[in-house]
Amino acid sequence: MVADTHLFAAPAVSSPRLAPQDGTALVEFLAFLVGDEEYCLPVMLVREIRGWSQPTPLPHANTALVGVINLRGTVLPVIDLGKALALPCADPKQRPVVIVVEDSARLGGLIVDRVLDIIALPAASLEPPPAIPTQGGIVCIAALALHDGRLLRILNPSALLPAHRKDPV
Amino acid sequence: MTLKILAVDDSQTIRDLLKLSLVDAGYIVRLAEDGREALKALADFVPEAIITDINMPRLDGFGLIEAVRRIDRFRATPILVLTTECAPELKAKARAAGATGWIIKPFEAVKLVKALQMIAG
Amino acid sequence: MTQPHDPMMEIRAGFFLECDELLERLTDSLDAQGFGTLGDEAIHTAFRAVHSVKGGAAAFDLTDLVSFAHGVETHLDLVRSGKRQITSVFCAALLRSADHLAVLVNAARHGTAAPQNGADFLAALGTPAAPATAFGTPALPNTIPDQPWRIHFHPHAQLYTSGNDPLHLLNALTELGDAEITCDWADLPNLQNLMPETGVLAWTILLPAHIPEAAIRETFEFVEDVCDLVITRDCQAIIPGTAIAHNPAASATATHTPSVNTAADMPTVRVDLDRIDRLMNLVGELAIGQSMLAQTLDAAAGQAIAPDQRHRGRYSPTALALDSLGTLTRDIQDAVMRIRAQPVKPLFQRMSRILREASAVLGKPAELICLGETTEVDRSVIERLAEPLTHMIRNAVDHGLELAETRRMQGKPETGTVTLSASHRAGRIIVELADDGSGINREHVRTMAVERGLIDPDLQLSDAEIDALLFHPGFSTAATVSAISGRGVGMDVVQTAIRALGGRIAIQSTLGQGTRFTLSLPLTLAVLDGMVVRAGGQTFILPLAAILETAAITNAGFRELQDGQQLIRLRDQYTSVCDLAATLGYTAQNHTPARRIAILITDENDQRMALLVDQVIDQRQVVIKGLSNNCGVIPGIAAATILGDGHVALILDPGELIHLASLKAAATQHIRLAG
């Protein structure tokens, strides 16, 4: 499975530092913990970082989409990343953080445990994830990178946000 | 130890003035033109304090403070808000978002440095 | 003599360049939509531009520029916070002010004298803006300067979490003069129990008498609201640190009355739709805020929000004040809704044109009769009706109406008649499109469906069920359908569009006589009168317009049929029952009717159903928040709202619930028939 490189080049808005042709160009990522696992998201897709608030569950909810919350008047779906990535992790109510991401005009909230840091990585150091089929978790990973001796998994939010379902007739 | 400051404002003139005042006072300064650029700058610049304007496009001052406060590393970083009015509602809003203090624009270099001393030493 | 390199001069030069750019942005924004209208984004850009000019000018002491820019900025701020509306007169005045701003910038740049007529331009913008609240240190009466200061300082937890550090503050105090600082750690727990960011430490600081109190207060400026601070002269108590006295001039703020429209001006105003949307949103937030207030006060009074207990405090001053606030909020909402509501006439006129076009192209004489043109509908709904209606009108002419000859042979007038009507019914907008054409040939439709594999050949379908097939995506694509009477082109698209509006579409047809489509739409996409209920541990909103009655039920009224369907006796009629929480998957099926409430709901086809919930809380007007953009379409749920406590509650779609329940029943039936 090839990494979604458009993930980094797409926002035309931004600085030339995102141009993929220059391998040394830096891309900034937000690093966070889900349980004990560390993941990253491109900062370009991050709208805000908020604290947890009790979500309202949706009907027939699948386990990862825990419900919707009020984001200053917008109804925002929130996804428990631990469940979405099939990780064993702590009860989501323990000091969780919600990272609000935007993907082609859809907003969604990802519930994580802690936000650690902002890291800059050279675009060239990003590699496509291995094509080992696991429980759908692999679809969510856009790229991998080595940083400070750790393996970083960069997530692709569009795989996590609730898809637009057609009205079932 | 020389203190590092991240200064955020969408006006080039204000950014230049901030840099001038802060460098004169002996700080190391990094500039950003809005909240989003500020977040990106934090990837390789760990400031001892942040000064930010409020009215900025893309991610405004309040959004920036809220985001910064949620990141472990910058949870207790002192943040000064640059504001043109001192209306109590604005102060309350800044406080609620997690700001440490505020500076009225136009700022005098002396006041700015003093404020920084009160929050960052 | 060479000037020493002065960075300030460079920055100053840069400032004037920046001003040129900002002024260009300002005039662009003001020019953007021509006279009389200003988009929301344009306002923000304009505001920021003037704000930045002011900020920079202040740094270089360009007082004329600063005060004029401030005046303009104040007016722009009123606009962007919704306190002032745009008129074309105001817009023109803004443009002239922008020009004067440029004049002042140039004067400052070249060091020439600036024209002093700025006040004229500001006057043209309206009543002079209130002077800015000056940030002055308080002018306190002189106290006897012989007693040293005693300061008691006890930080709260929030002082620490906001990034402040007492160490820096204490250091700052020592720089004012010789300080004697003692720390009070009486509240300090065992170190292993210590939570570092709580306020367990307090300090007492003694400072020499000659230090001005203002200097001391300034040190604590950032933290006065997050600590206990008492500054006394050892024997004299002074008010503990609270609000700083405002400049008296500022407290006499002139109320701003936008008196731009003189009698000679136009009686109407063109306002950009975004501005109204913003107002709508703000009013919606007001409603939510009022609701939150009511909830908080209720909770504070220790009253549970159950109907009987609430009545207890009903006539208390708080309750009455809240009531009148609620009425006021509702009135404001209604007033804003009326601004948005528009008669459907222009839309219908557009449809007339579409019909005439279709009629000409297809060579079928036809006319459109419009009824209820003055019916008012929220602008947002009107806009999104245009496309589906266009589709349906074209279909009516194309497939519904027969050719002129055929009509003559059947004794029908040669010119086909299409009727478009709008009316209010049961809290909704009903739009009907009817033609006097050939009607739906259900045999053909059924055959087609079988050929497409959409239904089982042996299946018996009612007329209504066959009609419903027309909305199936499988029908929309084939060109051959148009050769046979019966609609089919794009009806699924129409249905999707109507559903997205929170509406429903139904068909009635008689072979040889014609077809009628009935669209049922919500009155507005903005607010809803609803009943707040609890089921399965969750709070839901049920649109009041769909509710016929509610009743507490017992086992006695319950009947179960052979096929597992449950019925309940309401109003001397047996109605099918649906357990809300179970249907939506929040709980397992609960067959116990005891201690539950049944709500008899209906859709616009008069189909009824009894919905089982756990509790009815109250009735409220709620602000509708869309769900589908971020969450997709959720069956049974129309939208969401924000409750008084800030949480999201789902708004149910009664028609769909009825539909879902009947599908379920039909499915169960078919299984039984098959098995």
Side-chain angles (χ1 to χ4, degrees):
Chain A
M1 190 169 302
V2 180
D4 233 0
T5 49
H6 89 274
L7 192 66
F8 312 126
V13 180
S14 159
S15 57
R17 289 159 86 197
L18 286 187
Q21 53 266 30
D22 178 3
T24 58
L26 292 177
V27 188
E28 286 85 11
F29 295 92
L30 188 75
F32 51 90
L33 283 181
V34 186
D36 291 322
E37 304 284 325
E38 190 177 333
Y39 290 90
C40 299
L41 278 172
V43 168
M44 285 310 299
L45 299 178
V46 173
R47 272 301 149 274
E48 331 181 6
I49 307 177
R50 324 252 316 163
W52 187 84
S53 55
Q54 174 79 41
T56 302
L58 295 174
H60 301 296
N62 70 62
T63 48
L65 176 59
V66 292
V68 287
I69 61 171
N70 169 18
L71 181 75
R72 283 195 308 273
T74 302
V75 177
L76 185 82
V78 285
I79 292 110
D80 181 333
L81 263 193
K83 296 204 178 108
L85 301 172
L87 300 173
C89 63
D91 179 12
K93 267 175 263 166
Q94 290 177 10
R95 206 183 159 246
V97 174
V98 177
I99 304 178
V100 180
V101 293
E102 181 174 346
D103 168 56
S104 36
R106 286 181 296 163
L107 286 178
L110 303 175
I111 302 179
V112 305
D113 284 294
R114 271 168 63 189
V115 176
L116 298 171
D117 207 348
I118 301 192
I119 306 174
L121 298 174
S125 71
L126 303 166
E127 312 212 343
I132 307 168
T134 56
Q135 263 193 321
I138 199 75
V139 179
C140 309
I141 295 184
L144 299 171
L146 263 182
H147 174 77
D148 261 3
R150 348 199 268 279
L151 180 68
L152 296 178
R153 285 160 292 198
I154 294 146
L155 294 177
N156 176 6
S158 61
L160 298 162
L161 296 181
H164 285 254
R165 285 148 41 196
K166 288 224 83 169
D167 196 350
V169 169
Chain B
M1 176 183 73
T2 324
L3 297 186
K4 302 201 281 291
I5 313 282
L6 174 64
V8 192
D9 193 306
D10 63 336
S11 158
Q12 179 73 48
T13 307
I14 301 291
R15 284 200 300 276
D16 289 339
L17 288 170
L18 281 169
K19 185 165 180 180
L20 190 63
S21 315
L22 292 170
V23 165
D24 271 353
Y27 294 101
I28 297 178
V29 183
R30 174 85 168 252
L31 302 171
E33 65 182 15
D34 60 38
R36 198 84 77 74
E37 291 302 309
L39 279 182
K40 285 163 75 176
L42 291 173
D44 56 351
F45 184 77
V46 182
E48 270 77 35
I50 300 177
I51 302 177
T52 175
D53 187 16
I54 298 187
N55 286 302
M56 300 183 290
R58 293 206 297 171
L59 184 62
D60 72 1
F62 294 126
L64 173 62
I65 299 175
E66 175 124 23
V68 163
R69 286 273 173 256
R70 295 252 164 247
I71 303 176
D72 259 14
R73 196 170 196 173
F74 305 110
R75 224 165 37 143
T77 305
I79 305 178
L80 264 188
V81 158
L82 277 171
T83 165
T84 47
E85 339 117 46
C86 62
E89 312 91 61
L90 208 61
K91 278 199 211 161
K93 206 170 170 191
R95 172 69 80 215
T100 312
W102 40 84
I103 274 274
I104 312 288
K105 277 203 282 200
F107 56 88
E108 293 160 29
V110 169
K111 278 205 154 172
L112 177 64
V113 171
K114 197 154 167 215
L116 278 175
Q117 277 174 349
M118 290 206 294
I119 61 172
Chain C
M1 180 175 81
T2 45
Q3 292 275 15
H5 174 68
D6 184 356
M8 275 304 264
M9 290 309 289
E10 260 181 50
I11 300 182
R12 188 186 157 106
F15 165 64
F16 287 118
L17 285 176
E18 193 184 353
C19 276
D20 290 337
E21 216 185 280
L22 290 169
L23 287 170
E24 200 184 310
R25 244 183 260 165
L26 175 62
T27 38
D28 278 349
S29 314
L30 294 175
D31 266 335
Q33 317 234 355
F35 270 72
T37 58
L38 271 181
D40 217 35
E41 199 40 57
I43 278 291
H44 283 287
T45 311
F47 175 84
R48 276 200 297 265
V50 179
H51 182 78
S52 295
V53 168
K54 185 184 94 169
F60 295 104
D61 271 331
L62 305 167
T63 42
D64 285 336
L65 187 50
V66 172
S67 60
F68 185 73
H70 179 75
V72 178
E73 183 199 56
T74 312
H75 286 281
L76 283 172
D77 195 24
L78 289 170
V79 173
R80 89 175 169 152
S81 56
K83 298 195 184 98
R84 172 123 187 227
Q85 63 185 15
I86 316 275
T87 62
S88 66
V89 174
F90 182 55
C91 204
L94 277 175
L95 275 166
R96 288 196 295 273
S97 297
D99 290 340
H100 185 72
L101 203 56
V103 165
L104 289 175
V105 167
N106 273 325
R109 187 201 307 253
H110 298 119
T112 55
Q116 292 298 309
N117 55 342
D120 296 340
F121 291 96
L122 290 180
L125 285 174
T127 321
T133 334
F135 186 65
T137 40
L140 291 168
N142 280 328
T143 45
I144 315 147
D146 52 350
Q147 307 276 36
W149 293 105
R150 172 184 290 273
I151 304 161
H152 174 72
F153 171 50
H154 184 156
H156 302 159
Q158 217 195 342
L159 184 147
Y160 298 99
T161 58
S162 67
N164 280 292
D165 189 342
L167 176 63
H168 302 313
L169 300 172
L170 295 173
N171 273 336
L173 284 177
T174 59
E175 291 188 10
L176 292 177
D178 286 331
E180 217 180 281
I181 307 182
T182 5
C183 178
D184 172 11
W185 58 62
D187 287 337
L188 193 64
N190 259 327
L191 277 182
Q192 62 228 63
N193 296 335
L194 177 65
M195 308 248 285
E197 281 164 359
T198 52
V200 292
L201 297 176
W203 287 269
T204 305
I205 305 119
L206 293 174
L207 281 178
H210 65 87
I211 297 178
E213 181 174 345
I216 302 177
R217 289 213 182 273
E218 216 182 317
T219 310
F220 291 100
E221 179 191 338
F222 294 157
V223 297
E224 52 185 2
D225 58 331
V226 287
C227 68
D228 296 328
L229 182 65
V230 181
I231 303 178
T232 65
R233 280 264 193 206
D234 253 350
C235 306
Q236 254 181 62
I238 304 188
I239 313 146
T242 45
I244 298 177
H246 285 292
N247 193 326
S251 44
T253 1
T255 40
H256 179 91
T257 40
S259 56
V260 182
N261 265 344
T262 58
D265 271 358
M266 344 142 262
T268 55
V269 174
R270 269 177 67 200
V271 183
D272 192 73
L273 200 58
D274 287 342
R275 185 133 296 284
I276 300 214
D277 279 347
R278 184 132 181 272
L279 181 59
M280 226 15 246
N281 283 336
L282 286 172
V283 172
E285 297 309 310
L286 176 64
I288 290 176
Q290 187 259 337
S291 189
M292 271 166 133
L293 179 62
Q295 185 139 345
T296 313
L297 283 166
D298 255 342
Q303 294 169 341
I305 309 179
D308 48 344
Q309 281 170 294
R310 204 182 37 180
H311 290 313
R312 224 177 275 152
R314 182 157 234 207
Y315 298 105
S316 69
T318 314
L320 290 175
L322 264 179
D323 264 351
S324 68
L325 180 61
T327 310
L328 185 60
T329 309
R330 206 193 170 96
D331 285 346
I332 296 178
Q333 261 182 329
D334 283 347
V336 177
M337 290 310 302
R338 261 178 268 126
I339 298 178
R340 286 171 57 106
Q342 293 199 329
V344 293
K345 192 164 172 188
L347 176 67
F348 281 15
Q349 283 173 340
R350 201 165 133 194
M351 293 301 119
S352 287
R353 284 197 295 277
I354 304 267
L355 181 106
R356 283 195 291 274
E357 266 173 31
S359 162
V361 162
L362 294 165
K364 294 183 188 173
E367 67 170 339
L368 185 69
I369 297 183
C370 296
L371 303 170
E373 286 177 308
T374 55
T375 310
E376 290 197 338
V377 178
D378 190 276
R379 170 115 196 188
S380 51
V381 174
I382 290 192
E383 284 173 350
R384 288 161 73 174
L385 259 186
E387 216 180 285
L389 275 185
T390 305
H391 228 73
M392 287 162 64
I393 295 227
R394 290 201 177 122
N395 272 357
V397 179
D398 194 6
H399 308 301
L401 295 181
E402 314 90 330
L403 293 167
E405 277 172 32
T406 325
R407 290 178 68 89
R408 211 179 334 119
M409 287 196 303
Q410 289 177 357
K412 286 186 182 175
E414 269 193 23
T415 308
T417 306
V418 179
T419 315
L420 184 56
S421 71
S423 61
H424 290 259
R425 205 191 307 162
R428 290 178 69 92
I429 301 278
I430 308 295
V431 175
E432 288 184 335
L433 183 72
D435 66 68
D436 65 350
S438 50
I440 298 179
N441 187 328
R442 296 195 172 94
E443 267 314 303
H444 281 138
V445 172
R446 197 180 175 289
T447 314
M448 186 113 305
V450 170
E451 274 175 26
R452 299 255 167 86
L454 296 173
I455 53 170
D456 205 47
D458 303 324
L459 206 51
Q460 295 304 315
L461 293 174
S462 66
D463 279 355
E465 284 166 331
I466 296 181
D467 291 347
L469 286 172
L470 291 168
F471 290 113
H472 202 283
F475 265 90
S476 68
T477 49
T480 48
V481 179
S482 64
I484 310 161
S485 74
R487 301 160 199 263
V489 180
M491 282 315 289
D492 71 318
V493 171
V494 169
Q495 183 178 57
T496 311
I498 301 296
R499 280 239 175 105
L501 276 176
R504 258 180 301 287
I505 182 167
I507 318 178
Q508 275 171 290
S509 178
T510 313
L511 197 58
Q513 286 182 18
T515 308
R516 183 209 326 263
F517 286 93
T518 307
L519 305 177
S520 156
L521 302 160
L523 268 175
T524 169
L525 301 183
V527 292
L528 171 79
D529 279 311
M531 181 175 277
V532 184
V533 301
R534 298 272 303 172
Q538 301 298 320
T539 305
F540 297 96
I541 314 285
L542 198 49
L544 224 48
I547 300 180
L548 291 175
E549 74 172 80
T550 66
I553 55 164
T554 62
N555 275 319
F558 239 64
R559 291 281 178 274
E560 187 163 322
L561 295 183
Q562 290 161 320
D563 60 2
Q565 239 193 96
Q566 290 181 310
L567 297 180
I568 193 174
R569 195 183 167 84
L570 278 175
R571 275 189 180 182
D572 290 332
Q573 248 193 326
Y574 277 102
T575 325
S576 60
V577 171
C578 162
D579 182 325
L580 180 63
T583 306
L584 294 179
Y586 289 96
T587 61
Q589 190 74 29
N590 181 359
H591 292 264
T592 329
R595 284 195 317 277
R596 304 190 70 195
I597 314 268
I599 305 182
L600 187 61
I601 59 174
T602 177
D603 63 13
E604 58 287 333
N605 296 324
D606 278 333
Q607 297 262 63
R608 295 164 181 217
M609 190 171 77
L611 204 60
L612 274 190
V613 303
D614 296 328
Q615 205 189 353
V616 169
I617 307 222
D618 71 355
Q619 285 180 10
R620 245 180 251 175
Q621 196 177 48
V622 295
V623 176
I624 302 179
K625 300 282 180 186
L627 267 181
S628 55
N629 187 45
N630 292 327
C631 306
V633 175
I634 303 171
I637 306 292
T641 186
I642 316 281
L643 292 175
D645 61 4
H647 288 119
V648 178
L650 300 175
I651 299 177
L652 300 168
D653 183 340
E656 227 184 87
L657 287 174
I658 295 178
H659 181 65
L660 283 175
S662 70
L663 280 182
K664 207 165 125 186
T668 331
Q669 246 185 356
H670 288 145
I671 291 173
R672 285 179 191 277
L673 288 177

